[in-house]
Amino acid sequence: MTSATDLDSRTSPTPVLVAWFAIMDSDDPDRVLTMITDDFRMSIQFSTGGGKAAEFVGDRAGLVGYLQQREKSVLVHEILAGSRVGDVELALGRTTRNGEFEASFNTSAQLDASGLVRRLLICRTPEISFAL
């Protein structure tokens, strides 16, 4: 796997999360703002290791703040396993930098009837790697 769109055969389709991370890996990650509902809420737990972490929370403005502080076109997100249960997509993945492991992440996204993201929870840490 070399990007979020290269799904493992054990992974069930999570098309919204695949699209989300493909956009996040692009030169224009702000396009994810077109993927959220008016009542969007999020929490991104972002660990850099060694017990150091930040939480980005909020609505659209919170996501804008998160997007403004992150590196663009540096990390590649890979979904290792995923599933959809009702209106929720779940994924286990990893990020790499220059092909090297950087962190593992879990993502849960609740979708509305049109496929937009209503709720988003992402937890990321470099402390654990999953061999799948």
Side-chain angles (χ1 to χ4, degrees):
M1 292 181 287
T2 59
S3 74
T5 56
D6 296 336
L7 294 178
D8 184 285
S9 62
R10 297 165 291 185
T11 298
S12 66
T14 54
V16 173
L17 290 177
V18 167
W20 183 279
F21 288 117
I23 290 170
M24 291 298 283
D25 292 346
S26 76
D27 291 332
D28 188 14
D30 293 350
R31 289 182 296 136
V32 296
L33 296 170
T34 67
M35 297 180 67
I36 63 174
T37 62
D38 290 339
D39 66 342
F40 173 79
R41 298 289 301 164
M42 63 144 215
S43 174
I44 299 174
Q45 308 284 326
F46 192 94
S47 170
T48 55
K52 297 177 184 159
E55 181 180 18
F56 301 89
V57 297
D59 53 12
R60 180 185 178 87
L63 181 56
V64 168
Y66 172 74
L67 291 168
Q68 288 174 340
Q69 61 81 45
R70 71 183 294 276
E71 297 174 285
K72 291 183 182 177
S73 301
V74 175
L75 297 177
V76 174
H77 292 80
E78 300 173 20
I79 294 177
L80 302 174
S83 184
R84 181 165 177 154
V85 180
D87 64 353
V88 176
E89 288 188 9
L90 309 159
L92 167 67
R94 69 179 181 169
T95 56
T96 59
R97 180 185 301 264
N98 299 319
E100 297 295 319
F101 173 82
E102 172 133 339
S104 294
F105 65 88
N106 281 329
T107 303
S108 302
Q110 181 185 38
L111 312 176
D112 73 359
S114 67
L116 295 176
V117 178
R118 289 191 68 237
R119 301 290 182 267
L120 182 68
L121 174 62
I122 300 175
C123 305
R124 176 238 201 241
T125 182
E127 300 292 343
I128 297 172
S129 177
F130 291 83
L132 296 179

